[in-house]
Each structure stands twice: as structure tokens, then as C-alpha cells.
Amino acid sequence: MCSTLILLFLYNNLLDPLITTRLQSDLTRILRTSRDYGELQHVWKMWRHASGRRVRDHYKLFVRLANKAAKLNGFDNMGDMWLYPYESDTFREDMEELWGQLRPLYQQLHAYVRRKLREQYGEQYVSKRGPIPAHLLGNMWSQSWNEVYSIAIPYQGKSHVDVTPQMVQQNYTPRKMFELSDEFFGSLNLTKMPPEFWTESIIEKPKERDIICHASAWDFCNGKDFRVKQCTVVTMKDLITVHHEMGHIEYYLQYKHQPEVFRTGSNPGFHEAVGDVLALSVATPKHLAKVGLLDEVHDDDEADINFLMNMALDKITFLPFGYLMDNWRWDVFSGKTPEKDWNCAWWNLRYNIQGIKPPVQRSEFDFDPGAKYHIPANVPYIRYFVSYVVQFQFHKALCMKAGQYDPQDPSKPLHKCDIYQSTEAGNALGDLLKLGSSVKWPEAMAALTGGRRMDASVIREYFKPLETWLMNDNQKHGEFVGWETDEVLCTSDGPREAATGEPSSATTLVPAGPLYLLLFLLMGLLLSHRS
Ligand SMILES: *[C@@H]1O[C@H](CO)[C@@H](O)[C@H](O)[C@H]1NC(C)=O
Ligand SMILES: [Zn+2]
């Protein structure tokens, strides 16, 4: 957003982001590659010890200050302020409904992956009917389960879904990855990246200094300077991220003629969806073959299921996580979840929505939400959930325009659609992007898809062959779909409250050192789109 209508007190220094990034690459690698239960448990636990636990007190202060700022802006609390761009009185209910649409598919996937993990680690670690231990899913926050694909693969030895080896072999560079993405946008008759983008962006980790590597895209609001910052590594995962970030830039480019107040997405979720929509085409074996990253495309049911499983381990597993992050924060900001329950409320959501459990019992001495970047960095998160829903709606609409999807034609399923080189699809997407936030999002949605609502049924449509396969497979193995437990995952033990009640004046909120309190405009947060 190029105009700063809203002021915010930002309490910085909650968690030195450099600590986060430095620790992360090692830990991320262990989480991804280790199959040693004890090692994974140790790393999972110690990361939370070093990060979340340390920011709990800071976060307490932060919530008060954030709410104070929200009130000054006319909102009840910061959670309400975050929902403002969605222009809906029923937003929370709508999100709950979307999640309700998705839960049956997620539960089938959950039951299947739990069986595979049980076969890998043994029933003493992964029980038949319980939640999945959070540290076994290949990701520090269990938010995306791609890294357990090799454990969960339905048909061993069929098709390669990860083209990283080919990229390395063909001497791909970060620059080449960005050019490939730019070429895709161009093929749709969308705007190519301007010269400033190529000269000013940081697309590789600088050798001489430390930077925050979390990928982001920036609109400098002068109509010509748009940049990405990404420590790109030559992997397929990063190729997808390149498209994601460039999607933000494309949006900036398309709405740059709008008055400043409208230079933002129809809603924040739309902004996150643009690049991902293209990536849904890019990831298809057909497209990867077209750009020379796959030699042969296996076109049979088993290869199809493998492909969809890989997509599901990214997209479907993220949905509950994307949904719960702000569910937790909305209730924290509103005070519905008191500070003494913060961590256990977190684990309630993690258990109920994701069906996972911590590898060791948690308490209110811990602060596990704080171990996830977006919480101390204070980046709203429901936008990613929204994005994962609407990107499939957009994809479907564009695929139909491109003549790549026909619900009546079994030879053209949605998951095989590639909109590459379709100017019909590109022009339709461009029409949506050009609007910026000048119309309410349901209007923009209707212009592209014909419907005014967010609708998760398109995700079910996309994954239909996989869902059917999962139901059969779970039935065949007599798997319990869902989860239950008697275990206490989190106890209310915690530090004793020194004082109760709200402080009576602003001065008691402010710690002595000037180091701790930075007061500034929301500029940075509003301008950037982080990952
Ligand atoms: C490409 O987009 C421009 C507007 O941005 C439009 O005028 C032109 O007709 C489009 N080309 C095709 C082939 O659709
Ligand atoms: Zn993003």
C-alpha cells in the first residue's frame, strides 16, 4: 500500500531477526533431512527454547502497545484492525466455513501420512489414532510437509516431481530463475519486469554482509522502482518462491496508475495469490518438460497420484496452519485468550485443527507461537490461508479461459492445466490486477471467476483424484481418520504474574532503555510483502 493512512506504534527488537535466520538454515536442514527421532526432538525443542521462550515477555508488552495503536485508529484491538482490508463483517465465520469445507480432505491426508510415519518410526512414537508428533513432518512448524514426500510417496520409483537436480545440472543461476519467471509473465501478455528491477533487486545472499533472508517484494511507490529481495538457492522450491515474489511485483506494476490509496491488492490474500497461480502451472510435469527441466512426462494414474500427493503435501497441509496462526492472534489481541493461557491455547489449535502434538509436553513457561517468524515480526497471516483458497479459484477460471480445463472432459483435469502462453488467461488476470483495491474484492472476484465468494470447493475439485485414492487407501489399511488422545499436551504451569490488571498510564508500558522502544510509521510493513 503506497499511502499510510494508519499509524502504528511498532515495538521493534522483539526478536533479532538475524538470530532467526542464522540459526534457521542449519535447523531447517536437520528438520528436512534427519530421520532420527531423538535428534529431531532435540532440535525442535531447543529452537523453541532459544526463540519463543525468550520473546514471551516482549510479546506481552507488544500486544498492549499494538492494541493501543489500534484503538487510536478506531479499532477495538489489533486483530480487528488486521481484518479491515477484507471489508467483511462475517470474515471470521467465513474463514471457519472455508476450513470446514477443507477438513475432510485434510483428515484423509493426515491419516495416510500418519500411517507412513508409523511405518518409518514405529508405533511407540506414532500411534494409530493419535495426533502426529510435530517434529516428524520435515518442517520446524509442521506447516508444509513436502520434505516427507520420500516417506509418503504413493508409488515408489515413479516420476520425479522435484527438478532440482536438473536445474543444478543445467547450471541454473538465481538470475536465470528470475528470467524464466519473467518470461512466463511475458507469455501471458502481462508486464515484464522493468530495468530497475534487474539492477536494484537482491536475488542472491550477499557475501560481504548479513541480511534478513526472508524473501520479500517491494513497491517504492514512485511508479518505476520495484524490487525483490531473496537469497535464492537453485532449487525447485525456490523457483516457486521466485514466481511468488514476482507475482507481487506484477501486481504493483499493474496498479501503478491507480491513485495511491488503491495501490494495494483487492485484499491481502489476493496479493499473495498472484505468483502462486502461475506456479500452479509451472509445477506441472507438462510445463517442466516444455522448459527442458523434465525429459519425459509419465502420463499415467500412478504418476498423477504422485504429483498430486506432492502438491497436497505443500498446499493442503498448509491450510490448517495458515488458518490457525491468526485465530490464535485474534483471540490474544482481543483478550479472549488471557496471557496465562497463551501457549496452551496455541496447542489447542495445533491439536484441534492440525492434528499434531508437541514431542514433549509444553507449559506456560514456553511460548511456541514466538518460534514462528511472523509472530515476533508481526506479519498478519490469514492472507496466506485466503491466498491458498483463492489461487485455486483463479487458476480454474484462467484454465477455462486458456482452454486447458473442461469439467466435462476427463482428458483435461484441472491439475494438468498449464496457462503458459495464453493471452486470454493473462489478459483476464491483468484486468483483475489493474483494479488494485479500487473496487471491493467480491467485485474483482466476480469479474474473473463469475462468483463473489471465496470457495474452497475448487481445491477439492483439483485434488479429487487424490482424495478418492486416499479414501480407498485409508480404508484398505483400516486407518482411523481423525485423531484422539488422552495425553496432556500442555499444562498451565508458568511464571507467576507479578501484578494483575491493566497499567493505568502509558508510562508504565515503556521500558527504560531507548533501545527497546522504536516509534515509527507503519511504512515498512505496509510496503512489503514478505514471502
Ligand atoms: C496485450 O495487452 C494489451 C494491454 O495491456 C492489449 O492492448 C493487447 O491487446 C494484448 N494482446 C493480446 C494478444 O491479447
Ligand atoms: Zn508474498
Side-chain angles (χ1 to χ4, degrees), residues 137-149:
L137 292 161
N139 176 280
M140 185 60 91
W141 308 277
S142 326
Q143 69 180 66
S144 150
W145 304 357
N146 275 96
E147 302 299 342
V148 297
Y149 178 71

Side-chain angles (χ1 to χ4, degrees), residues 188-191 254 423-424 427 434:
L188 300 176
N189 192 31
L190 288 167
T191 310
Q254 292 285 340
T423 52
E424 289 85 356
N427 292 340
K434 279 186 192 73

Side-chain angles (χ1 to χ4, degrees), residues 22-33:
R22 257 188 245 117
L23 277 175
Q24 249 178 25
S25 60
D26 283 0
L27 301 186
T28 304
R29 184 179 45 76
I30 295 171
L31 258 292
R32 244 180 45 216
T33 55

Side-chain angles (χ1 to χ4, degrees), residues 2 123 126 140 152 204 226 253 264 284 294 313 323 325 327 363 379 394 404 406 418 452 455 467 478:
C2 288
E123 207 178 324
V126 185
M140 185 60 91
E204 273 180 273
F226 308 94
L253 290 166
T264 180
T284 59
L294 268 187
L313 289 175
Y323 174 59
M325 277 276 283
N327 260 280
S363 76
V379 183
F394 295 171
Q404 284 271 323
D406 178 354
D418 173 15
R452 297 174 57 87
D455 178 8
E467 185 167 357

Side-chain angles (χ1 to χ4, degrees), residues 306-345:
N306 275 357
F307 168 74
L308 282 171
M309 178 62 75
N310 193 49
M311 292 301 281
L313 289 175
D314 176 21
K315 302 286 183 186
I316 303 301
T317 60
F318 178 78
L319 284 155
F321 183 76
Y323 174 59
L324 72 80
M325 277 276 283
D326 283 359
N327 260 280
W328 181 81
R329 280 189 290 193
W330 292 331
D331 287 347
V332 163
F333 284 129
S334 77
K336 193 175 159 203
T337 304
E339 198 255 327
K340 66 177 181 46
D341 298 335
W342 276 0
N343 206 43
C344 291

Side-chain angles (χ1 to χ4, degrees), residues 83-95:
L83 297 188
Y84 177 69
Y86 295 96
E87 300 176 309
S88 163
D89 296 333
T90 55
F91 186 75
R92 281 191 71 163
E93 292 79 15
D94 296 346
M95 294 302 103

